[in-house]
Amino acid sequence: MSGSDRGAVRVFAEYERDFTEQADVVVVGSGPCGSVVAYELAARGKRVVLLEEGPPFTPQDFELDGAFSMSRTMREAGLRTTRGTVIPTMQAIALGGGSLVNSAICVRPPDFVFEGWEENFEIEGTRRADLDPHFDAVEAFLGIAPTPDEVQGQRNLLFRDGCDALGIDSEPIARNARGCRGSGECFTGCRSRAKQSMDISYLPAAIHAGARVLTSLQVQEVLTEGRRASGVRGQVVEPFSGRRSHRFQIDAKAVVLAAGCMATPILLSKSGNLANRSGQVGRNLQFHPGIAILGVFPEKVDPGFGATQGYQSLAFLREGFKLETLWAPAAVLAVRFPGYGHDLKTRLAEVPYAANWDAIASCHRSLGTVRPKRGASLDPILTWRFHSEDAQVLGGALYQIARIFFAAGARKILPGVYGVPGEIHSIEEADVLRTHRYAPTDFVTASNHAFCTTRMHGDPAKGVVDPRGRAHEMDGLFLVDTGIFPRCTSVNPMFTGMALAHRSAAALADQL
Amino acid sequence: MPSAWDLWAVLIAALLLGWGWWRVFGGFPRARGPAGVLAARELAFLAAAADATYPEGGSALPSGTQAGIPAYVDRYVASVPSTIGFLMRLLFFLIEHATLLFAAPGGGGRRRFSSLNAEQRSAVLEGWGESSWYPRRLVFSSLRAILTMGFFSDPAVLRTLHLAAKRIESPVVEADLLYPAVGAHPSTIAHGPEDLGSPSGVPLAADAPLHPDHADPTG
């Protein structure tokens, strides 16, 4: 890369005054969806400016400590929660967005997900077969491939063994990673540089193709001329402190919002309630609530080694949940250990023998809203209610995880759910997980998969965008993050978001 | 002209207020943490809560204070947005002083959490953690999460549990030629095209050297 090419990226230290730029397209947000659009349009010769509020992170910026890592890479220090039913949910603030700190899972949803979209939301041309060419393109670009056995580690392989013993289909998780070493550090930044997060994959390619990537810029308003989006404006923000300084404006023929399902509706609201004749902006918030169980084995598992999330089972998607293996910074996982005092310390001493597996549930009945706070911040006020029927689905998932643990040889499991025993020692004892009537507040759950706050719908009166991400009532305004999903994907959403963004980029390029 | 009864009433009220103030704010050690964000009374509470959650003995793991939880939380509160930091401090205040209203079991239970004996502190934590009222459990799990993050920040804990990070040499990838470290100017980018490498794909060995931050300083 020559020195002159470095001008295509700007970082906080380079901003010395207010500025204005022109472009064909301005993309807001450098997460997976925004990065795909930026690259695809730049590769087609369009003048692209991509704006990101967070800074780029290099390996020397990664924090090993889970809490401090979150406070640097996540909005609200990673401590954002909903009102109503309290559920933690995170949103990254970094070049590459969530891809910098997720576990790189790339799963294509099954047909029935898209059939449900089509039937319930009057959406055409968005079946799995319609999207497969776009999935293929992203897959080829990122080298998405199943996690190799050599870096799975016991924690993941035991899940496979348990599933095999029960005749449950399972598979190594396909990930956007090349040369993984099994460090289990996906959530704090991949020091091995194996994870193909957007900052080291799509964005360098976009820059090569001519895109300008401007970091540490907070977009505060979408500009319009009549019914056409004409650009954005905002301010420079200092990394970590969030202190605002110089002002900027980008004038463009088209605006692409990829700020995430939490920030995009807020940006629309703060821009004069833009694109909201349907009244759906900020509504329909859905999550994949997740719950993890620890299992303790007679032999050492050494859970610190192995791909962060290496194995999964899609066998229960129609029942409403997906099962996965999981690793995270030890401090984050240890929060799930029950009790305190000597009991807690005794349990923690068993960590080298433990594995952690989780379920994420499709909770169509559990809905919420995203509303703006006062001031310039894009941080939301979130409200969400966990529906009691969806809680039973999550309870059913707990029981299936318990079956797999005991089939794999676990000597006990720690469900971490209020109202059921803290330790369960056999599959017979685990029956309580199947029969218990769960209250939504029984679970210590979390979700970083969020959707539907600017949903697509064939009827402009019922949705914000069409299936290509075009705003129904605005020209030159595209939305391309997971907010446009009409309903959750039942599987990890990143890959679907990227495939849809890939299709939107083609539609936008044709329009320019 | 106030009567003698009025003067007595004012005096008694002043004494009660002074006593109340002392029970809530007084009598704490004066030491502050290295970052100096939390007050001495908050550090005293954290030390008490840390050792109630992670007491000394029982396994090879250190106690909460031996693991440095209060100092860690002090640094952590300083690193989060001020609104969140305020809520954390409110959480500490709530648990520290709740026993002035709802006494801990046993004699002298109507005292601050940090002034209770070890058994009473355990009983108080159990009350929060096992409560049938969801908000109480939420308070307990929030406190325990903060303490647990501090506990696992101790390299000795991580080494004991085989969770210490390995030393990993990051190969130089194209992105490293584009972006400087956070806050730095692009002119500080030291890599050139001749440095480019690629991830090895070689699994980390179980006995690989530890990251300097997690290695045992005594060798």
Side-chain angles (χ1 to χ4, degrees):
Chain A
M1 178 85 36
S2 70
S4 60
D5 287 330
R6 287 181 183 160
V9 183
R10 291 183 79 184
V11 297
F12 177 75
E14 296 176 275
Y15 301 114
E16 294 173 341
R17 61 184 68 85
D18 296 353
F19 66 94
T20 302
E21 290 201 14
Q22 279 75 41
D24 291 329
V25 182
V26 58
V27 181
V28 180
S30 69
C33 302
S35 294
V36 167
V37 170
Y39 168 70
E40 292 296 332
L41 291 174
R44 287 171 166 85
K46 308 301 179 191
R47 288 182 306 148
V48 175
V49 171
L50 181 142
L51 308 176
E52 167 56 50
E53 186 173 340
F57 281 74
T58 65
Q60 71 190 82
D61 299 312
F62 294 150
E63 281 276 350
L64 294 173
D65 181 272
F68 279 95
S69 174
M70 288 194 299
S71 74
R72 287 161 67 89
T73 58
M74 299 291 181
R75 291 181 179 275
E76 301 178 67
L79 299 172
R80 176 183 289 175
T81 59
T82 58
R83 298 178 182 179
T85 309
V86 177
I87 181 173
T89 181
M90 297 183 206
Q91 184 184 7
I93 180 164
L95 190 67
S99 70
L100 185 78
V101 284
N102 72 7
S103 47
I105 296 176
C106 295
V107 191
R108 301 185 193 205
D111 281 325
F112 77 80
V113 168
F114 297 112
E115 287 163 11
W117 289 14
E118 189 172 276
E119 287 163 14
N120 294 290
F121 301 94
E122 301 173 35
I123 290 164
E124 292 180 356
T126 309
R127 291 287 182 104
R128 168 70 180 267
D130 300 311
L131 291 178
D132 269 340
H134 303 285
F135 280 116
D136 291 344
V138 174
E139 184 173 287
F141 186 94
L142 291 174
I144 294 168
T147 306
D149 272 0
E150 309 86 71
V151 296
Q152 288 281 5
Q154 276 295 94
R155 166 171 45 81
N156 293 314
L157 294 177
L158 284 165
F159 179 86
R160 176 199 63 189
D161 295 346
C163 288
D164 287 352
L166 295 169
I168 296 171
D169 285 340
S170 69
E171 60 196 61
I173 292 176
R175 302 177 307 159
N176 48 310
R178 290 185 168 112
C180 174
R181 303 191 64 192
S183 68
E185 293 180 356
C186 287
F187 293 149
T188 51
C190 180
R191 288 187 292 144
S192 303
R193 306 301 257 170
K195 180 167 63 171
Q196 297 300 294
S197 49
M198 299 305 109
D199 56 320
I200 69 170
S201 56
Y202 265 104
L203 290 174
I207 292 162
H208 267 306
R212 290 176 56 72
V213 174
L214 312 184
T215 65
S216 293
L217 297 185
Q218 181 187 65
V219 174
Q220 295 164 345
E221 185 182 1
V222 177
L223 305 173
T224 57
E225 290 174 1
R227 55 167 284 149
R228 166 171 287 281
S230 60
V232 298
R233 68 175 159 222
Q235 281 181 279
V236 174
V237 289
E238 186 180 46
F240 309 139
S241 76
R243 273 191 289 272
R244 299 182 182 89
S245 55
H246 308 294
R247 298 185 179 278
F248 72 90
Q249 179 167 323
I250 312 294
D251 299 317
K253 297 173 187 169
V255 175
V256 176
L257 298 185
C261 139
M262 310 286 181
T264 290
I266 290 184
L267 202 44
L268 292 172
S269 296
K270 292 193 169 186
S271 303
N273 202 21
L274 212 56
N276 192 25
R277 202 170 294 160
S278 67
Q280 298 299 316
V281 170
R283 298 181 63 185
N284 312 302
L285 173 65
Q286 291 186 29
F287 289 111
H288 278 158
I291 180 104
I293 292 189
L294 280 153
V296 181
F297 289 83
E299 307 295 333
K300 265 193 177 170
V301 174
D302 273 334
F305 172 74
T308 303
Q309 296 194 267
Y311 247 86
Q312 66 185 3
S313 172
L314 307 181
F316 301 98
L317 290 186
R318 282 193 181 274
E319 280 86 338
F321 57 87
K322 172 183 184 256
L323 306 181
E324 310 165 324
T325 58
L326 174 67
W327 188 243
V332 177
L333 286 182
V335 167
R336 303 206 50 78
F337 277 82
Y340 58 90
H342 288 296
D343 285 350
L344 175 60
K345 283 184 73 179
T346 302
R347 285 180 175 133
L348 287 178
E350 296 177 319
V351 162
Y353 299 83
N356 193 58
W357 302 339
D358 78 284
I360 57 172
S362 307
C363 295
H364 306 308
R365 287 160 290 216
S366 305
L367 299 172
T369 59
V370 176
R371 288 179 295 129
K373 290 178 179 171
R374 277 182 292 186
S377 165
L378 296 183
D379 293 335
I381 298 170
L382 301 175
T383 306
W384 182 75
R385 294 264 171 213
F386 193 12
H387 194 283
S388 60
E389 291 306 310
D390 287 335
Q392 309 318 309
V393 172
L394 206 51
L398 279 180
Y399 177 65
Q400 294 300 337
I401 299 175
R403 288 181 68 215
I404 298 168
F405 264 122
F406 287 115
R411 61 182 177 82
K412 67 176 177 183
I413 60 171
L414 311 176
V417 177
Y418 180 76
V420 302
E423 289 191 1
I424 290 176
H425 297 85
S426 67
I427 188 61
E428 290 77 22
E429 283 181 34
D431 202 47
V432 67
L433 299 175
R434 188 178 60 81
T435 58
H436 184 73
R437 181 71 190 171
Y438 295 93
T441 50
D442 287 346
F443 299 99
V444 179
T445 183
S447 181
N448 298 324
H449 301 173
F451 328 90
C452 309
T453 55
T454 52
R455 74 180 185 191
M456 66 170 84
H457 201 293
D459 181 350
K462 297 177 180 172
V464 182
V465 297
D466 73 8
R468 262 67 179 174
R470 286 179 288 238
H472 280 304
E473 63 193 74
M474 295 284 301
D475 294 329
L477 178 64
F478 278 67
L479 277 52
V480 298
D481 50 45
T482 59
I484 69 169
F485 294 3
R487 187 180 268 180
C488 72
T489 44
S490 301
V491 298
N492 313 66
M494 177 176 73
F495 200 14
T496 305
M498 295 174 86
L500 287 169
H502 188 268
R503 187 169 75 164
S504 293
L508 177 50
D510 290 343
Q511 186 178 306
L512 286 169
Chain B
M1 189 73 179
S3 69
W5 285 111
D6 291 338
L7 290 173
W8 273 112
V10 168
L11 183 61
I12 289 168
L15 285 171
L16 281 172
L17 278 173
W19 177 82
W21 185 91
W22 180 255
R23 293 299 296 260
V24 176
F25 297 111
F28 290 99
R30 291 181 179 278
R32 296 175 71 89
V37 174
L38 296 181
R41 61 178 179 275
E42 293 168 311
L43 292 169
F45 163 73
L46 285 169
D51 280 344
T53 308
Y54 298 101
E56 192 169 3
S59 76
L61 295 166
S63 71
T65 48
Q66 287 166 346
I69 289 177
Y72 174 92
V73 176
D74 198 9
R75 293 197 308 277
Y76 183 53
V77 172
S79 80
V80 301
S82 57
T83 313
I84 294 172
F86 170 77
L87 290 173
M88 287 183 183
R89 298 173 80 166
L90 199 61
L91 176 81
F92 306 153
F93 184 89
L94 174 66
I95 300 179
E96 166 73 334
H97 295 101
T99 40
L100 292 177
L101 290 176
F102 306 100
R110 196 174 295 281
R111 290 189 290 175
R112 293 182 307 236
F113 180 88
S114 58
S115 299
L116 300 171
N117 64 39
E119 289 74 26
Q120 287 173 316
R121 289 175 189 171
S122 285
V124 169
L125 289 184
E126 184 176 3
W128 286 97
E130 300 297 321
S131 172
S132 59
W133 193 42
Y134 173 59
R136 281 195 81 195
R137 297 202 305 275
L138 201 60
V139 166
F140 170 75
S141 56
S142 300
L143 173 69
R144 215 194 58 160
I146 294 168
L147 300 176
T148 298
M149 289 192 289
F151 190 66
F152 276 84
S153 72
D154 181 4
V157 170
L158 296 171
R159 286 195 302 273
T160 303
L161 299 177
H162 303 263
L163 297 175
K166 301 284 195 289
R167 184 194 299 269
I168 294 175
E169 299 299 333
S170 301
V172 175
V173 298
E174 196 183 338
D176 297 318
L177 280 53
L178 293 168
Y179 323 129
V182 177
H185 193 274
S187 60
T188 61
I189 296 173
H191 302 297
E194 66 282 3
D195 300 321
L196 286 173
S198 57
S200 72
V202 177
L204 290 169
D207 59 351
L210 298 182
H211 187 283
D213 289 352
H214 289 179
D216 185 348
T218 64

